[in-house]
Amino acid sequence: TVCYMIATTFITSCLFGYITSSEQLFVDVYDLGPAFPIAFASIASAISAGTFLNSRLVVRQGMRRLSHTMIIGFTLSALALAVIAQLGWATFPVFTAMLALTFAMFGLIASNFNALAMEPVGRVAGSASAIYGAVTATGGAIFGALIGRAFNGTVVPFAMGLAAAGAATLLAVLWTERGALFGPAPVVQKP
């Protein structure tokens, strides 16, 4: 539970980083002005589409396989966006398409991580869920603010922040699952 809480904190920081940075990215960098809400909504729609797709796929693929695959995809997509931004190729259509793809995967990660975290604490799920929500939201807001504060007039720090948070999430999941992704829960010996 604690390890998935850490992983969720890192992936949530990407969402908070986007919320914090979106106006600067779309208005200051891409000069969208009054069209900003449309660009913002396009990314929110991608997250919603991912969440809807998750509800269809999780039954067939399972929470672990689906969320583990998507965190690898999220991290690789964010890393590709960071490279594209660093090379100066992040035009508005390229940036928005890559960001939508990346955040669609967020929709396939977050709810599964929540369920995976609550799996071992069924008897106290209400209290555990409250603590889990408080920690992931607070930690995500703090790390997301750091992503937002890194803004330098380009999309590069934001993209690098997403890639770093995705990598930290992946490392937390690898640690949680004892290096064995995609399969059943690791067996923990009880004392």
Side-chain angles (χ1 to χ4, degrees):
T1 298
V2 170
C3 294
Y4 269 107
M5 183 169 60
I6 292 167
T8 303
T9 299
F10 287 127
I11 198 69
T12 301
S13 71
C14 296
L15 179 63
F16 280 107
Y18 170 67
I19 292 168
T20 304
S21 303
S22 60
E23 188 171 3
Q24 293 169 317
L25 296 169
F26 290 126
V27 175
D28 294 349
V29 176
Y30 295 111
D31 198 29
L32 291 186
F36 161 68
I38 297 167
F40 185 86
S42 70
I43 306 306
S45 296
I47 296 170
S48 296
T51 303
F52 179 76
L53 184 60
N54 179 67
S55 70
R56 302 288 187 242
L57 293 177
V58 73
V59 176
R60 285 182 271 163
Q61 301 300 319
M63 289 183 293
R64 278 187 168 72
R65 175 178 286 159
L66 188 57
S67 62
H68 295 171
T69 302
M70 289 301 111
I71 192 54
I72 292 168
F74 181 98
T75 303
L76 291 175
S77 179
L79 184 60
L81 179 58
V83 169
I84 288 168
Q86 189 66 40
L87 293 172
W89 299 341
T91 62
F92 172 71
V94 170
F95 175 76
T96 305
M98 288 294 296
L99 195 59
L101 172 66
T102 304
F103 273 106
M105 288 182 251
F106 176 89
L108 290 139
I109 297 168
S111 57
N112 291 321
F113 277 12
N114 291 343
L116 288 166
M118 293 301 108
E119 225 175 23
V121 292
R123 292 184 320 211
V124 292
S127 298
S129 180
I131 293 167
Y132 178 87
V135 169
T136 59
T138 303
I142 291 167
F143 290 129
L146 294 174
I147 293 171
R149 296 263 335 222
F151 181 73
N152 67 355
T154 72
V155 299
V156 173
F158 172 73
M160 290 175 61
L162 289 185
T169 304
L170 181 58
L171 289 173
V173 171
L174 281 167
W175 180 43
T176 303
E177 298 290 344
R178 296 175 172 78
L181 297 180
F182 314 112
V187 177
V188 178
Q189 299 293 330
K190 301 227 178 187

